[in-house]
Structures are given as structure tokens and as C-alpha cells.
Amino acid sequence: SKVKAEVKAESEAKKETVKEAHIVDKSWTFTASSTFYSQSADKAFDGDIKTFWHSSYEAANGQVVSKAPYPHYIDVDFGKMLDVAGIIYTPRPDNEAGRFFGYTVYGSDDGTNFNEIKSGKCDYSKGVVPQIINFDEKVSVKVLRIETNEAGGDYGTAAEISILKEKVKVEESKSAEKEEGVLVREASWKIEASSTFYSQVAANAFDGNEKT
């Protein structure tokens, strides 16, 4: 069936991604700009899409009262210089909160001084899919920083991040069928509601995912 074919194609794409990525080394260390309890930076590198890093916030009586400020980021310290060709950022699939809309990737050889490598916007026009970010050229870095100043609900989250040793070929695919005359959501849109029940935020009505 069409559904089975799509699932198979998605599975094959994931295998391709793994082939192009560095294997996570036990010597790597992960830190974040902030962390919400046990949802620490290492959760974005554990191979489990159901676990994720989440930036810090405080809630009382079912309402969020404060959030860690931008920028939200994860630092990956390889412990040595490593050649990196790009990253793949996989957003959490269950909720738009913290989903990166814009990103900037930095590199450092000492963990203190960082230089920008690549910046841009994430594209969710075809659904909540992994964002392949190929660098313009391969770089050698000790520490890689993946940062956002533009994310869902002003949080920061990442379900999985893959570090690429080679660029991943991005093939042009047919755009999903959309009703004629309907605008595709842009990252610059601000979406709010009269009230919100926990993480069931207004932006979920515009994320292209019928399950949220």
C-alpha cells in the first residue's frame, strides 16, 4: 500500500543518514544552555527519538511562569579535533514546543571561542521531518554548538542530533499536495491562544501534524 511504501522509504532514508554520520563516541560530552530536570543534552544523542533535550522552565498551578532565555543551544565536545560536514537536527515529533525554526551552528577548537559555520531556517513544509544541514565545506572542530534564537514557544528542544562525517545528498522530492490558495506556515508567524492546557499550545494547530 501507499502507507507501507512511505514507511519503507522513511526507514531506508534513516539507514542512509546513519551511514553518513559519525558514531557517537563515549568520549564525547554534551552540555546545554539550560536543562529541564532529566531532559539533558545527552538525550539528543541516545538514538531514541522518544527522548529529547528540553531547555529549562518553571511552572506553577499548571501554568508556565518562567523560561530560560534565548539563545538555547547544545554543545558537543568531541575531546579532540574532528572533521564535520554537517548535522541532522531531528525535532521532537509529539509537540511543537521547542522545535527549532531557525538555527545557527558554531565551531570551536578550544570550547571558548566560537565561529559561525552555518545558519538558516528549518523547513517543515513537508511535515515534521529531520532537518539536514550540510555545511558549505567540511570543518575541523573540537566543540560544535547547535543554537536557536527562534523556536516553538520560545523553548529549545532536540529529539536527535547526528554529526555528519560526509554531506548527505538531499534529493528533491515532490511537494505534498496542498489545497490551492492555502499559505504554508512561516517561522515568523506568532501563534497564540486565549488559553492553553499545558503543552497543547496554539501552534500545534498549524504544525501539519494531525496527531497534535
Side-chain angles (χ1 to χ4, degrees):
S1 67
K2 180 180 179 182
V3 173
K4 287 183 178 179
E6 289 175 347
V7 171
K8 182 179 179 182
E10 182 180 358
S11 176
E12 290 175 349
K14 288 180 179 178
K15 290 179 182 177
E16 183 72 15
T17 298
V18 171
K19 184 182 73 173
E20 305 295 342
H22 285 286
I23 296 173
V24 176
D25 193 290
K26 291 182 179 179
S27 64
W28 294 6
T29 57
F30 312 101
T31 56
S33 51
S34 68
T35 297
F36 182 71
Y37 291 94
S38 62
Q39 294 175 324
S40 50
D42 60 290
K43 297 295 191 300
F45 297 86
D46 63 0
D48 185 352
I49 197 172
K50 294 180 181 178
T51 64
F52 51 87
W53 159 67
H54 199 302
S55 62
S56 178
Y57 67 92
E58 292 184 7
N61 300 319
Q63 295 292 326
V64 175
V65 296
S66 66
K67 304 175 184 179
Y70 286 124
H72 301 307
Y73 61 83
I74 285 181
D75 283 354
V76 188
D77 190 329
F78 303 116
K80 60 182 179 181
M81 300 300 284
L82 187 73
D83 290 339
V84 180
I87 68 166
I88 297 178
Y89 166 78
T90 301
R92 59 183 294 191
D94 63 320
N95 195 301
E96 192 181 68
R99 191 174 296 161
F100 284 24
F101 295 143
Y103 66 85
T104 304
V105 183
Y106 298 92
S108 172
D109 59 6
D110 59 9
T112 301
N113 301 296
F114 287 83
N115 296 309
E116 181 176 327
I117 299 171
K118 186 87 172 183
S119 64
K121 302 287 187 181
C122 293
D123 180 9
Y124 300 116
S125 62
K126 296 180 177 64
V128 185
V129 296
Q131 301 294 303
I132 299 172
I133 303 169
N134 287 317
F135 298 161
D136 296 333
E137 57 185 23
K138 191 178 292 186
V139 298
S140 183
V141 296
K142 179 178 180 290
V143 181
L144 200 68
R145 174 171 291 178
I146 301 97
E147 179 180 290
T148 185
N149 277 289
E150 186 181 9
D154 296 330
Y155 301 100
T157 64
E160 285 296 310
I161 295 175
S162 298
I163 308 298
L164 299 175
K165 55 187 176 182
E166 299 294 342
K167 290 184 179 182
V168 170
K169 185 177 180 181
V170 181
E171 295 182 359
E172 294 294 330
S173 58
K174 294 182 179 179
S175 300
E177 291 183 6
K178 294 185 179 294
E179 186 178 346
E180 186 177 354
V182 175
L183 292 173
V184 176
R185 179 192 169 171
E186 296 182 4
S188 61
W189 293 8
K190 187 174 182 180
I191 301 169
E192 298 179 341
S194 54
S195 65
T196 297
F197 182 71
Y198 291 92
S199 61
Q200 295 174 337
V201 295
N204 289 357
F206 295 82
D207 65 359
N209 185 355
E210 295 180 357
K211 294 181 181 179
T212 63

